[in-house]
Amino acid sequence: MKNLLVSIVLVTMGVVSAAAQRPALTADDYARAEKMLSYNTDPLVDRNGVRATWLPDGRFWYRVLTPTGSEYVIVNPADGSRKTAATFNELGVPAIATGTGRVGRRGGSADPATSPDGKRTVFIRDYNLWVRDVATGKETQLTTDGVKDFGYATNNAGWVHGPNPIVLWSPDSKKIATFQQDERNVSDAFLVPVGVGAQKLDTWKSALPGDPNVPMIHRVIIDADTAKVTPLQVAPDPHRSSQCDDISCDGGFTDNYWAPDSKTLAFLSTSRDHKIEKLRVADAATGAVREVYQETAKTQFESGAGEVNWRYLPATNEFIWFTERDGWGRLYLYDLATGQLKNQITKGDFPVWQIAKIDEPGRVIYFTAGGSQPGVDPYYGQLFRVNFDGSGMKLLTPEPANHTVAFSPDGKYFVDNFSTPDQPTTAVLRDTTGKLVLNLEKADVSRLKAAGWQPPIPYSVKARDGKTDLYGLLYLPTHLDKNKKYPIIDYIYPGPQGGSVGSRSFSSARNDNQALAELGFVVMQLDGMCNPQRSKAFHDSCYGNMADNTLPDQVEGIKQLAAKYPFIDTDRVGIWGHSGGGFATAAAMFRYPDFFKVGISESGNHDNRNYEDDWGERYDGLLVKDPATGKSNYDDQANENFAKNLKGHLMLAHGTMDDNVPPSNTYLVVDALIKANKDFDLVMIPNAHHGYASAAPYMMRRRWDYFVRYLLGADPPKEYVLQFHPDPRVSR
């Protein structure tokens, strides 16, 4: 008995000793990391960029934040003068002439529901479209036959839905291009809020890949004065656009352009699988539709990077067309009458991203593009000009940086904010030849650096093919000891409509990447193959298999980074992401279980058969089943089918009212993990939508705790509270 007691004491002492040896992070450690979040870093950046508000007399004003508050600046481009004031009133701007900071891309009001002359606005009531006189408040019903699931101007793409109407006003403010959307035979989606008492069902229409019926739009033109509805004489189109997985990529009616005289409307019809685009022109008075041009893509057609790039030019009987058919996104000029090619406009092995402005009288196009300069990060956007005939192409923003430009209303000047992830913003004013008119601002990050901040490190590695250059950002602890080994965390967003890094413009904080690094990790982001803004082949490399998730590139990238930085420990690799990144994270843990040891998967679309139809059908193609086996081309992409392979630590998280990616996606993975007898962690956030809103700080803290506990091998402080606070300068 005595020996037994001794053994128990010794064992107990061993447990205590082992526990005592396990490192622990304190609240002070978390507080140091929290200092690297944007609400703490942004207030330490001064004079960071210019957002111009243009005045009717050709001048513009802007506000910058300083260490003590604000400064107002007014600029006259005509003489290059620049004056500052402590308050807006001191600028001397007439109260009725405050100008505008944004002009709608198609002209007129920036609010698509408001007419260009600002006198009327449209809205939906009882499935019909109404118009309201802004001055008097008088309301007039424009349509009468709208019914449930077959209403006018309906804003519902399944993954996003709301009450605002989808319309395009004519330039003369008299006509409205819109549609009656037929969803009567489309599948329903359901969610139930968490609350006390009887449950209420939240229902909306959301088609899924392979469904026999998807929302169809019946195009109409409505006369706002007479309430006459003119149906366009064309078959209904699937709810699709050439640029995003919605017919409203920017709040308005995407892929539609009125003629300046408001007599005709040009529009694109997109096939359900996004392979076929048809350019058509409608007569606004009769509804007659003329077929102009058609293009078919082998994979999926895309009309630009974040912007629709085709244009309707009826004054010269032409149209500008964007296509990637020869491997790069380029612009072409076509004859509107015949649909025949007149000439190629842009050349070079780099992609056009967006048309920024067109000078029709001067026959000049201004556009942004990336990858035109050897040795420069291809995700740095720069502004070019080129003549309609393809001659005179010129780079207007030569600095090797990411340039964000905004033109003046008269088209004579543009404000250029340029920066890189590790170089703060410089703002200048240029004319349309690229000539520097005035230096406006240069961001001051001295206070930020004094607080211990350091920028991320841009890097490049080779892709899975061993040849293609990939680009990313690396975040190191500010207290890095190169003689130690650090776990690495991969923050992933696989696209295919975007990438992990996002904008290459300067930011004092990118999510919580640097904050995580402060806890004792190396954090990386990498834009892998399958992401946009480069060649067509690069973007299409994962077409038909979104489960690729750029993971082969992530694995290769981490290995190459570890070869360059020996303090990276490839035996301790973590990964996390949200939405598509949640899908990728779980896939990484299931498909590379010996490489990725800890994963946090937030709101993932784990099975694209359970996500809105336009997403999967665009990037995977239409769902097709093998008649012999009943298996579809989507089955082997579903994460739940590989959950049995899990070896590491996995946390799944989802909002219970996520009407973008329904929580059933995560439940499928949970069910598979349980059936495979796998340990995992689950956080379901009651009543949260896709972004978690007020619960986001909680989820961030849980994310930190999980990586600290299972990847760093330390104990986190208990229930640390992240405390958001606004920049005190903004309200001054």
Side-chain angles (χ1 to χ4, degrees):
M1 185 67 175
K2 181 178 180 180
N3 290 338
L4 178 60
L5 290 174
V6 171
S7 298
I8 292 173
V9 170
L10 290 175
V11 170
T12 304
M13 289 175 63
V15 172
V16 172
S17 176
Q21 292 174 0
R22 180 178 172 88
L25 270 64
T26 67
D28 287 343
D29 294 320
Y30 269 45
R32 186 177 66 251
E34 187 181 7
K35 289 181 179 179
M36 297 302 173
L37 296 178
S38 60
Y39 54 81
N40 286 316
T41 57
D42 284 351
L44 300 178
V45 180
D46 304 316
R47 315 192 78 87
N48 188 30
V50 169
R51 182 175 181 178
T53 299
W54 291 88
L55 302 172
D57 62 8
R59 297 181 298 165
F60 67 89
W61 66 269
Y62 63 90
R63 177 195 186 193
V64 290
L65 297 176
T66 68
T68 58
S70 297
E71 181 178 283
Y72 292 86
V73 182
I74 190 163
V75 175
N76 187 347
D79 60 13
S81 63
R82 177 182 181 278
K83 298 179 181 179
T84 63
T87 66
F88 176 76
N89 290 336
E90 293 177 29
L91 289 180
V93 176
I96 62 171
T98 54
T100 179
R102 176 179 177 231
V103 178
R105 281 197 285 270
R106 298 173 181 86
S109 171
D111 176 10
T114 302
S115 60
D117 62 10
K119 295 180 179 180
R120 293 187 282 194
T121 186
V122 291
F123 61 96
I124 298 171
R125 178 183 292 157
D126 297 330
Y127 316 111
N128 284 291
L129 198 63
W130 292 62
V131 65
R132 180 184 296 114
D133 186 281
V134 173
T136 66
K138 179 183 178 182
E139 298 177 349
T140 303
Q141 188 169 356
L142 297 178
T143 67
T144 58
D145 59 335
V147 295
K148 186 178 185 300
D149 300 328
F150 196 21
Y152 283 90
T154 307
N155 180 19
N156 179 26
W159 65 278
V160 61
H161 43 274
N164 54 302
I166 305 303
V167 298
L168 180 64
W169 281 92
S170 61
D172 64 6
S173 298
K174 294 182 178 180
K175 304 180 188 70
I176 302 163
T178 187
F179 52 86
Q180 189 176 11
Q181 181 163 240
D182 190 355
E183 302 177 282
R184 290 171 293 186
N185 297 310
V186 174
S187 302
D188 290 316
F190 310 95
L191 288 174
V192 179
V194 175
V196 177
Q199 293 184 323
K200 298 179 181 179
L201 191 64
D202 187 3
T203 308
W204 70 99
K205 293 291 184 178
S206 184
L208 300 175
D211 277 2
N213 299 296
V214 299
M216 302 294 289
I217 59 171
H218 299 241
R219 300 176 183 270
V220 298
I221 291 175
I222 303 173
D223 190 304
D225 293 329
T226 65
K228 178 184 177 183
V229 178
T230 302
L232 300 194
Q233 297 170 21
V234 67
D237 283 324
H239 182 113
R240 300 286 189 268
S241 76
S242 68
Q243 198 272 310
C244 71
D245 53 332
D246 191 0
I247 54 172
S248 179
C249 302
D250 56 3
F253 194 4
T254 300
D255 280 330
N256 287 262
Y257 292 103
W258 281 100
D261 63 7
S262 303
K263 292 183 178 180
T264 56
L265 176 80
F267 63 94
L268 287 190
S269 293
T270 302
S271 64
R272 177 170 174 172
D273 58 6
H274 286 268
K275 295 181 186 295
I276 302 172
E277 297 292 345
K278 295 180 179 180
L279 173 59
R280 293 161 160 165
V281 175
D283 184 302
T286 67
V289 174
R290 181 172 69 88
E291 303 286 339
V292 176
Y293 180 74
Q294 177 176 318
E295 182 167 324
T296 301
K298 292 181 179 179
T299 54
Q300 57 97 19
F301 183 94
E302 193 164 46
S303 62
E307 179 77 43
V308 167
N309 281 328
W310 67 277
R311 292 294 187 273
Y312 179 42
L313 308 174
T316 55
N317 214 22
E318 296 167 314
F319 67 94
I320 293 170
W321 190 249
F322 173 95
T323 177
E324 298 175 288
R325 63 175 174 243
D326 68 351
W328 297 95
R330 292 174 177 154
L331 301 176
Y332 298 81
L333 186 66
Y334 278 82
D335 186 293
L336 186 64
T338 65
Q340 296 300 307
L341 176 66
K342 297 182 74 171
N343 60 264
Q344 183 174 334
I345 299 173
T346 61
K347 300 179 177 66
D349 289 345
F350 62 91
V352 171
W353 288 356
Q354 297 179 5
I355 291 178
K357 172 184 163 53
I358 295 181
D359 174 5
E360 289 191 50
R363 296 183 70 77
V364 176
I365 303 171
Y366 299 87
F367 66 92
T368 59
S372 68
Q373 294 178 305
V376 176
D377 188 324
Y379 298 98
Y380 288 173
Q382 295 175 294
L383 184 70
F384 296 78
R385 61 175 286 162
V386 65
N387 297 323
F388 275 29
D389 63 6
S391 66
M393 190 163 83
K394 180 183 179 182
L395 175 61
L396 303 180
T397 55
E399 298 87 354
N402 193 52
H403 294 256
T404 302
V405 301
F407 280 85
S408 60
D410 62 12
K412 295 180 180 179
Y413 305 95
F414 63 91
V415 173
D416 177 15
N417 288 279
F418 61 91
S419 63
T420 68
D422 57 347
Q423 293 294 324
T425 309
T426 296
V428 300
L429 180 67
R430 305 182 195 266
D431 67 18
T432 52
T433 69
K435 178 183 176 182
L436 178 66
V437 176
L438 191 65
N439 289 306
L440 298 174
E441 300 290 344
K442 188 173 180 60
D444 183 352
V445 294
S446 58
R447 293 193 299 125
L448 183 64
K449 289 182 176 179
W453 175 90
Q454 66 183 16
I457 301 172
Y459 69 87
S460 65
V461 292
K462 295 297 181 183
R464 66 189 77 177
D465 60 9
K467 299 181 294 184
T468 305
D469 289 324
L470 303 178
Y471 298 82
L473 295 177
L474 193 67
Y475 305 79
L476 304 180
T478 57
H479 53 282
L480 177 74
D481 182 346
K482 293 184 179 180
N483 295 315
K484 293 183 177 180
K485 285 283 190 177
Y486 291 84
I488 186 169
I489 296 173
D490 184 354
Y491 168 71
I492 187 170
Y493 188 82
Q497 90 297 0
S500 297
V501 177
S503 170
R504 261 51 177 191
S505 292
F506 176 81
S507 178
S508 69
R510 293 172 179 266
N511 207 303
D512 62 344
N513 295 324
Q514 187 59 44
L516 270 174
E518 291 304 292
L519 296 177
F521 303 99
V522 172
V523 180
M524 58 90 76
Q525 296 170 286
L526 178 65
D527 286 333
M529 297 180 73
C530 318
N531 291 157
Q533 295 183 285
R534 295 183 67 177
S535 70
K536 177 66 170 170
F538 187 94
H539 194 195
D540 280 350
S541 57
C542 301
Y543 179 82
N545 180 25
M546 278 196 284
D548 178 285
N549 278 306
T550 77
L551 291 174
D553 298 319
Q554 305 295 326
V555 172
E556 289 302 314
I558 291 171
K559 291 178 179 178
Q560 292 172 52
L561 286 171
K564 183 176 181 179
Y565 301 104
F567 51 79
I568 293 177
D569 186 353
T570 55
D571 288 330
R572 291 184 293 169
V573 180
I575 186 170
W576 84 274
H578 189 93
S579 193
F583 174 34
T585 294
M589 298 297 292
F590 301 157
R591 295 172 186 265
Y592 297 84
D594 295 317
F595 188 80
F596 294 100
K597 304 301 172 54
V598 181
I600 300 172
S601 169
E602 298 181 4
S603 304
N605 52 312
H606 299 286
D607 188 335
N608 284 304
R609 294 171 298 182
N610 263 36
Y611 189 45
E612 56 100 0
D613 60 310
D614 202 357
W615 181 255
E617 292 183 347
R618 176 169 203 154
Y619 296 112
D620 276 338
L622 299 179
L623 187 148
V624 179
K625 290 186 178 180
D626 184 320
T629 65
K631 186 177 181 180
S632 81
N633 52 322
Y634 282 53
D635 289 35
D636 288 342
Q637 299 181 46
N639 275 342
E640 69 267 22
N641 293 334
F642 300 88
K644 62 182 180 294
N645 298 331
L646 179 66
K647 293 183 179 180
H649 293 276
L650 174 63
M651 175 188 281
L652 299 163
H654 221 115
T656 66
M657 289 299 290
D658 190 337
D659 51 0
N660 181 330
V661 178
S664 60
N665 281 268
T666 288
Y667 292 143
L668 286 170
V669 177
V670 167
D671 182 54
L673 288 168
I674 291 172
K675 289 176 178 175
N677 195 34
K678 295 293 182 179
D679 291 336
F680 64 97
D681 293 274
L682 177 65
V683 177
M684 298 303 294
I685 305 175
N687 298 325
H689 290 265
H690 197 52
Y692 303 165
S694 61
Y698 172 82
M699 188 62 221
M700 182 180 292
R701 192 269 295 173
R702 290 294 304 274
R703 188 162 64 240
W704 294 7
D705 290 354
Y706 206 73
F707 281 132
V708 165
R709 183 174 289 115
Y710 295 116
L711 196 61
L712 194 62
D715 293 323
K718 184 173 178 58
E719 298 175 352
Y720 183 85
V721 179
L722 294 168
Q723 299 182 359
F724 170 83
H725 52 82
D727 189 334
R729 303 171 299 174
V730 174
S731 59
R732 292 177 186 169

